[in-house]
Amino acid sequence: MDWMLLVAAVVLTIGNAELLITLINRIHSRPIPEHYLRQIRHLHDLLIPLFPVWLVVGVWLPAWKLAIEPLTVPSLWSVLPLFVQCYFGLCVAGCLGFVWSVLRYQTYRSPRQQTRYESRVVDIAAELGAPPIGPGPFQSLVRLPFNECFQVELVQRTLVLPRLPQTLDGLRILHLTDLHFIGTLDRPFFERLFEHVRGLRFDMAVLTGDLIDDMQLTPWIATTLGTIEAPLGKFSILGNHDWNQEPTPIRADLRAAGWIDVASRCEVVRHQGAELAIVGNELPWMGTAPSLENAPSGALRIALSHSPDNLKWARRQRVDLMLSGHNHGGQVVLPIIGPVFAPSLYGVAYAAGLFWRSPTLLCVGRGVSGRHPLRVRCRPEVAVLELRCEATK
């Protein structure tokens, strides 16, 4: 058999997987209820491994049995039905897309707006003396080798923003996202983590959604998010997992814990003669796209958006800093290849990290947890962002 057939099989298999992953990533960026998404994921998980089986059993072997001369790529192509030729063409394009994604991951560098990055890892399981595993679902994932779901990275970034007022130079923002209270990582995990969070220095705290996956766990809010204090306020929005639960009582519990809901609206904070306009966008799941037209003209514009997919909206609104989560960094980051799954219209392009898209600096956090408690080469993250002026960087 021609060795080019083996190369073609590898290219087509990679391309097919890339097409299906691209499709599943985009589907998960839309407001589709979780029970439907689960069925789509199961179909996706089945189609990827079935493709090479079909390629050999349904295409190669029948063509090889009918071939008068040795089977080659050109001879095989000539006998394929038109719809199969078209799909194989898409698979080749998918393979090229995969190569582009790998190159993008390998060449990513934080933008010049980040002038300092420091981090330390806290192993919550080691501190507690045992993994804090609760009765929630997917416990088998927690016990997999190389899973880092209990190892939280406490990150400090220094970011230069062109429009930051001089009097706000050094402002520190705590960014929390994607806590996913579902019960698999038990309450002691989060309470111990927030002991560390209370030891960080910050002026303001923000939460960018996906807090609750089980409504019975809303009492956890008081003993975690309710225990931190921020002089300039604590501001929150919800995410798609909250939307799949009961958003109204979740918002009420957050308010009781001292958090200010900025969903679909703008909150102006005044400090040392300067103003900050903090706006929340929960699209495409809830609310409307808020406008900053009536915000004070000189105010620093900070947007909370659960999904980084709202970046175009933020740029139109001249947002200075947009804080997001949702993508969890991909949760599993493969060597060389990088992250594969991210529920975004942009795929894994904004899985995690910093991205400068003038005039907006986008910061995507990896989140604290997830419905599926699996983290490989992608530790959970809590970040403090120190904002600096151009003149003092």
Side-chain angles (χ1 to χ4, degrees):
M1 186 176 292
D2 187 359
W3 67 271
M4 286 298 293
L5 283 172
L6 295 177
V7 174
V10 171
V11 169
L12 294 174
T13 299
I14 291 174
N16 172 72
E18 178 71 10
L19 290 176
L20 292 175
I21 291 170
T22 297
L23 180 62
I24 203 74
N25 283 342
R26 273 65 181 180
I27 288 174
H28 275 68
S29 72
R30 309 315 302 156
I32 301 173
E34 173 61 28
H35 61 279
Y36 291 124
L37 290 177
R38 192 178 303 118
Q39 296 173 25
I40 295 171
R41 283 197 302 270
H42 291 162
L43 179 61
H44 158 274
D45 295 344
L46 182 65
L47 289 177
I48 287 181
L50 279 182
F51 179 83
V53 175
W54 169 76
L55 190 62
V56 173
V57 176
V59 178
W60 275 13
L61 291 181
W64 178 71
K65 290 178 180 179
L66 294 175
I68 299 175
E69 55 189 32
L71 191 63
T72 63
V73 170
S75 63
L76 175 62
W77 183 265
S78 65
V79 299
L80 292 177
L82 179 60
F83 77 93
V84 175
Q85 291 181 351
C86 291
Y87 187 71
F88 281 2
L90 289 175
C91 289
V92 172
C95 188
L96 294 175
F98 167 77
V99 172
W100 164 247
S101 179
V102 172
L103 290 174
R104 181 182 58 206
Y105 171 72
Q106 289 295 328
T107 57
Y108 168 80
R109 299 293 181 273
S110 292
R112 64 176 181 82
Q113 283 75 17
Q114 177 173 280
T115 60
R116 186 170 64 91
Y117 178 93
E118 296 178 355
S119 72
R120 62 184 177 93
V121 177
V122 294
D123 189 332
I124 305 297
E127 291 183 2
L128 294 175
I133 304 174
F138 313 113
Q139 295 180 28
S140 59
L141 294 178
V142 178
R143 297 181 172 88
L144 288 177
F146 310 110
N147 191 352
E148 302 169 310
C149 65
F150 297 119
Q151 300 175 30
V152 184
E153 189 170 4
L154 304 179
V155 172
Q156 297 198 34
R157 302 179 186 267
T158 299
L159 309 177
V160 174
L161 297 181
R163 290 196 334 108
L164 183 71
Q166 186 69 41
T167 55
L168 295 180
D169 185 59
L171 179 76
R172 296 169 71 88
I173 302 174
L174 171 69
H175 181 204
L176 298 165
T177 191
D178 296 88
L179 275 73
H180 288 278
F181 293 167
I182 193 171
T184 311
L185 303 192
D186 210 356
R187 189 171 187 162
F189 167 81
F190 295 98
E191 292 179 344
R192 186 56 173 258
L193 173 60
F194 273 84
E195 290 181 20
H196 288 283
V197 172
R198 290 194 295 274
L200 302 175
R201 185 167 60 88
F202 50 89
D203 305 295
M204 175 188 300
V206 301
L207 171 67
T208 51
D210 272 8
L211 176 58
I212 299 295
D213 279 284
D214 183 341
M215 289 302 296
Q216 294 184 358
L217 305 183
T218 54
W220 294 14
I221 294 175
T223 58
T224 54
L225 291 162
T227 65
I228 62 174
E229 299 293 336
L232 299 185
K234 304 184 294 186
F235 305 90
S236 65
I237 60 170
L238 300 184
N240 58 302
H241 283 251
D242 306 304
W243 169 70
N244 271 294
Q245 298 297 318
E246 300 175 44
T248 300
I250 295 173
R251 295 187 200 276
D253 285 338
L254 281 170
R255 284 195 297 270
W259 289 78
I260 301 169
D261 186 2
V262 293
S264 300
R265 70 183 191 88
C266 179
E267 181 86 10
V268 177
V269 176
R270 294 172 175 84
H271 180 62
Q272 296 184 348
E275 294 172 312
L276 298 95
I278 304 170
V279 65
N281 190 335
E282 295 177 341
L283 290 175
W285 299 281
M286 293 173 283
T288 57
S291 173
L292 282 162
E293 289 183 1
N294 297 324
S297 59
L300 184 76
R301 300 181 170 198
I302 298 176
L304 311 185
S305 170
H306 179 61
S307 171
D309 290 357
N310 293 320
L311 178 58
K312 289 183 178 179
W313 159 83
R315 296 179 68 190
R316 289 194 301 269
Q317 296 294 320
R318 310 294 295 175
V319 165
D320 297 287
L321 177 64
M322 176 168 147
L323 304 176
S324 298
H326 187 52
N327 289 337
H328 301 189
Q331 292 200 198
V332 175
V333 177
L334 300 177
I336 301 175
I337 293 172
V340 175
F341 292 101
S344 169
L345 290 172
Y346 299 101
V348 296
Y350 299 129
L354 287 173
F355 308 90
W356 174 250
R357 302 293 184 264
S358 181
T360 302
L361 180 63
L362 169 64
C363 181
V364 184
R366 296 196 299 270
V368 171
S369 185
R371 178 175 175 82
H372 298 88
L374 178 64
R375 296 276 183 157
V376 179
R377 301 180 73 244
C378 183
R379 289 189 177 101
E381 177 189 69
V382 171
V384 173
L385 313 175
E386 182 181 38
L387 308 185
R388 305 303 301 269
C389 300
E390 285 277 358
T392 58
K393 64 181 179 179

